Amino acid sequence: MIRNVVVVGGGTAGWMTATYLNKTFGDRVSVTVVESPRVPTIGVGEATFSTVRHFFQYLGLDEPDWMPSCGAAYKTAIRFENWRGVGSVFYHPFERFRTVDGYDLADWWLGLGGDPESLHDECLLVPQLCEERRAPRRSDGRLFAAGLQGSSFQEAEQRAQFPYAYHFDATQLAQFLTTFGTERGVQHVLADVAEVVQDERGWISHLVTAEHGEIHGDLFVDCTGFRGLLINQTLGEKFTSFEDMLPNNRAVALRVPRDMATVGINPYTTATAMEAGWIWTIPLYGRIGTGYVYSDKYCSPEEAEATLRAFAAPDQPDLVANHIRMRIGRNERSWVNNCVAIGLSSGFVEPLESTGIFFIQNGIEQLVRHFPDENWSPALPEAYNQQVGRVIDGVREFLVLHYRAAARNDTRYWQDAKTRVLPPGMAERLDGWRSLLPDENTIYPHFHGFEAYSWRVMLLGLGGHPTTPRPVLGHLDPAPARQELARLREDAQQLVKELPSCHEYLQQLNS
Ligand SMILES: Cc1cc2nc3c(=O)[nH]c(=O)nc-3n(C[C@H](O)[C@H](O)[C@H](O)COP(=O)(O)OP(=O)(O)OC[C@H]3O[C@@H](n4cnc5c(N)ncnc54)[C@H](O)[C@@H]3O)c2cc1C
């Protein structure tokens, strides 16, 4: 039996892994986190994907239990600014399109000659709530869409989609999980791993630390961030860069204090396209997290910092900027011998669409599903590596779409984005989407978190990859679709009246 798991690294990945494994195995498996007192965590990673709530639910944590400790707020969408051209706006919400006569509203809207500026306004409900800064829950705690007839949220409780995710302070979350985990039996060792010792087969036998001597284990989880201390530096696993497809390799971040009582809270992430990349704006309860993601081929760190300061905090020159070099790509295998890499050590695509923590959650869930015994069947790591690799590759393709299909074309950065290398199979898929919007049969073919509706929203919102309406709609009566579009607008107006503002709801949660 595998009795002893050692997690190296105490960032978001390390503590999410440790607490999840502890919850799954209880005292049947001992879990130890070895965390350097010297090497800081990455210090960013504030927006999430809607499946993250399953992580908290699994640990038995309700929103009031953890949100106030982590400065957490709600995220119902990403608002894309300037991607079609300077001044343009559209939203990518956690919301499926409603369906009429077997075709969704995106198809109908296109068939009815929809204006690209109005997609999110006419076919989706959440963006209208975003514009009014409404909370995704009613004052009594019920989900905002509870009771809405005919809405696409009827299945909102199902695993595949949920109408919101969270913004939170990742450092505070790691601290929260440290307390949560250690109270439930996770061992916490503050020590620098100076050496990783392998046996004659090349498997990891133990770690050597100055502070606590040797630390032995059966299974080692590498959560050491971009350095990949175990998986890359020790085991030599090949890391494949995605920079030929996704060139952003740097970021600079700021933490900007905000008096939310005065300015309120947007229930969404904003991604603003800039001349050589894009800026994230993430409202937490008490501050804004912001950062410029860019490629050093097009912009220097000094220029990036100056751009970010001017954009986000022109009157706060004392804020300390965090410059980060990003390793974009993934290990060929994230599980090698008795080592599994989770988090930045496994793979990372840039933060657009906030999938870093989603990759961590997926890595942990898959580790439990494929957890080995003393026979170490090679089928388990093989299946694990295939699933984890596909998830990252699928998100890579989704992000490549963001740049390839963006109509913005005013700088060399955006012009070059139209001619970069595409992931395998994507050129054919893009071609097909010129005549038919993406659907579940024509998007990246393996699970990667994003459903077909997300690909539709992005393709239509970005505006640089035209597509034609589905011909069959020309033979069908559009009246029911028009009625549904009208009903959707009425539902939105009604909800705007009924729902508290995001700030009001969070204030109540934090009181
Ligand atoms: C610019 C940027 C923006 C991001 N934005 C988002 C986002 O909005 N949403 C999202 O989901 N994700 C985001 N991410 C990803 C997210 O930040 C990470 O996935 C997440 O924080 C996990 O990091 P980690 O724990 O793998 O690594 P780190 O935070 O780097 O932690 C590494 C740990 O390893 C320890 N360590 C290192 N060396 C040793 C050693 N020798 N001995 C012992 N311990 C050691 C360190 O002390 C530290 O505890 C972003 C990432 C970047 C770079």
Side-chain angles (χ1 to χ4, degrees), residues 9-13 36 39 41-42 44-47 191 193 223-225 344 348 351 356-357:
T12 320
S36 168
V39 183
T41 59
I42 193 96
V44 284
E46 296 155 331
V193 174
C223 295
T224 61
L344 298 174
F348 182 59
I357 290 164

Side-chain angles (χ1 to χ4, degrees), residues 102-401:
Y103 300 98
D104 78 19
L105 284 184
D107 264 327
W108 281 110
W109 173 85
L110 199 61
L112 293 168
D115 168 3
E117 306 291 326
S118 69
L119 171 85
H120 65 254
D121 234 9
E122 294 186 358
C123 301
L124 294 159
L125 190 133
V126 169
Q128 302 180 56
L129 307 183
C130 286
E131 291 281 297
E132 301 295 334
R133 307 170 95 193
R134 297 291 101 186
R137 288 197 176 271
R138 294 168 187 266
S139 301
D140 61 9
R142 281 181 306 145
L143 202 59
F144 72 92
L148 207 62
Q149 289 301 310
S151 94
S152 52
F153 293 106
Q154 279 172 337
E155 292 171 283
E157 293 295 334
Q158 78 179 41
R159 182 167 178 79
Q161 183 57 291
F162 189 73
Y164 68 77
Y166 305 102
H167 295 144
F168 53 65
D169 184 317
T171 310
Q172 286 181 338
L173 178 68
Q175 285 161 359
F176 176 86
L177 292 178
T178 305
T179 308
F180 183 86
T182 50
E183 280 173 1
R184 286 159 182 76
V186 175
Q187 318 274 332
H188 186 197
V189 177
L190 270 179
D192 251 314
V193 174
E195 196 187 341
V196 182
V197 180
Q198 292 167 271
D199 66 16
E200 63 289 348
R201 298 169 303 159
W203 290 44
I204 296 173
S205 71
H206 61 278
L207 313 171
V208 180
T209 68
E211 299 87 341
H212 287 265
E214 293 184 357
I215 298 173
H216 290 256
D218 302 319
L219 176 73
F220 291 82
V221 186
D222 185 345
C223 295
T224 61
F226 285 135
R227 53 190 70 69
L229 180 65
L230 278 60
I231 192 91
N232 303 115
Q233 291 186 34
T234 306
L235 297 175
E237 183 59 13
K238 183 169 175 240
F239 184 86
T240 304
S241 168
F242 295 164
E243 269 190 51
D244 52 345
M245 303 174 199
L246 292 171
N248 291 342
N249 55 6
R250 280 183 166 270
V252 53
L254 288 174
R255 291 163 170 245
V256 186
R258 278 287 148 85
D259 176 10
M260 296 299 178
T262 316
V263 296
I265 297 184
N266 293 334
Y268 52 82
T269 302
T270 303
T272 308
M274 305 299 286
E275 289 184 1
W278 62 278
I279 287 180
W280 78 77
T281 306
I282 299 179
L284 311 185
Y285 193 71
R287 72 170 170 87
I288 301 279
T290 183
Y292 189 5
V293 180
Y294 62 99
S295 159
D296 60 11
K297 286 204 194 95
Y298 300 85
C299 179
S300 71
E302 295 73 29
E303 282 171 313
E305 183 177 331
T307 304
L308 178 65
R309 285 186 185 281
F311 179 88
D315 49 350
Q316 290 162 283
D318 297 339
L319 297 176
V320 179
N322 178 10
H323 285 269
I324 299 162
R325 191 185 286 277
M326 303 188 295
R327 183 176 77 151
I328 302 298
R330 70 166 170 92
N331 293 318
E332 236 151 68
R333 297 170 301 168
S334 283
W335 180 345
V336 178
N337 301 343
N338 60 339
C339 171
V340 180
I342 293 183
L344 298 174
S345 58
S346 158
F348 182 59
V349 292
E350 57 152 291
L352 194 59
E353 295 290 348
S354 332
T355 49
I357 290 164
F358 165 66
F359 289 161
I360 294 172
Q361 190 183 349
N362 180 60
I364 304 168
E365 289 173 359
Q366 293 302 320
L367 176 57
V368 168
R369 292 176 77 86
H370 296 90
F371 203 73
D373 60 13
E374 64 280 10
N375 296 316
W376 292 95
S377 161
L380 295 165
E382 234 165 70
Y384 178 92
N385 286 329
Q386 185 181 60
Q387 199 277 353
V388 164
R390 283 175 170 171
V391 167
I392 299 177
D393 290 352
V395 173
R396 170 184 69 180
E397 182 165 322
F398 188 49
L399 296 193
V400 167
L401 177 77

Side-chain angles (χ1 to χ4, degrees), residues 77-85 87-93 120 268-273 278 352-353 398-399 402 457-458 461-462:
I78 302 179
R79 175 183 161 102
F80 286 86
E81 294 182 347
N82 298 350
W83 289 73
R84 265 198 316 274
S88 64
V89 171
F90 71 95
Y91 287 85
H92 173 201
H120 65 254
Y268 52 82
T269 302
T270 303
T272 308
W278 62 278
L352 194 59
E353 295 290 348
F398 188 49
L399 296 193
H402 289 51
V457 168
M458 291 313 299
L462 290 161

